[in-house]
Amino acid sequence: MLKALLRITGTISLTLGILGIFLPILPTTPFLLLTAYCYFRSAPNWHKRLLESKHLGPYIKNFQENKCIPLRVKVYSIFTLWLTICISAIFFVSILWVKALLFAIAIGVTIHILSYPNSKK
């Protein structure tokens, strides 16, 4: 039962990760890392295929092996994060404490992203 749940979670996460390549509001790497974890625990052959994937494998391998993020990915991620948070807070949220929470989350995520060293790629 747990293996089936992990496979389902991994597949949903993989779908979101692939969508994140094209949609700036979805982060790609965290979803792919979750997919790798779920597949590693539930379906080793799926995990192997994921890591060998020409387009998705490098995202996962780079982070797992080097624990670093390319500078261009950092810049893009932080820019997109702040753009979407600001748009949400200005146009879609009217409750002050929710706006504050959105900005607190953005600050936390920014600090987390910047805490990783830059990779050479």
Side-chain angles (χ1 to χ4, degrees):
M1 180 72 172
L2 179 61
K3 285 188 176 189
L5 183 61
L6 285 170
R7 285 181 185 168
I8 291 168
T9 302
T11 302
I12 291 169
S13 180
L14 177 61
T15 303
L16 292 172
I18 291 170
L19 286 173
I21 294 171
F22 306 102
L23 300 174
I25 58 172
L26 287 174
T28 300
T29 304
F31 285 121
L32 294 180
L33 292 174
L34 177 60
T35 301
Y37 173 81
C38 291
Y39 286 175
F40 179 77
R41 297 285 180 203
S42 65
N45 55 332
W46 293 7
H47 180 259
K48 182 181 176 197
R49 285 182 60 201
L50 181 66
L51 292 180
E52 291 173 351
S53 167
K54 178 182 174 182
H55 299 288
L56 303 179
Y59 278 104
I60 300 164
K61 287 179 189 174
N62 183 42
F63 189 82
Q64 285 180 338
E65 292 171 3
N66 304 316
K67 299 289 188 254
C68 58
I69 302 171
L71 180 60
R72 66 177 176 76
V73 173
K74 283 183 177 184
V75 170
Y76 178 77
S77 299
I78 292 170
F79 173 77
T80 305
L81 168 73
W82 280 97
L83 179 66
T84 55
I85 291 289
C86 289
I87 289 171
S88 298
I90 293 169
F91 296 111
F92 300 108
V93 177
S94 59
I95 303 169
L96 185 59
W97 71 268
V98 175
K99 288 182 182 196
L101 180 63
L102 286 173
F103 285 112
I105 290 169
I107 291 168
V109 171
T110 300
I111 291 169
H112 180 72
I113 290 170
L114 292 175
S115 71
Y116 287 99
N118 296 337
S119 71
K120 304 294 186 236
K121 295 179 182 179

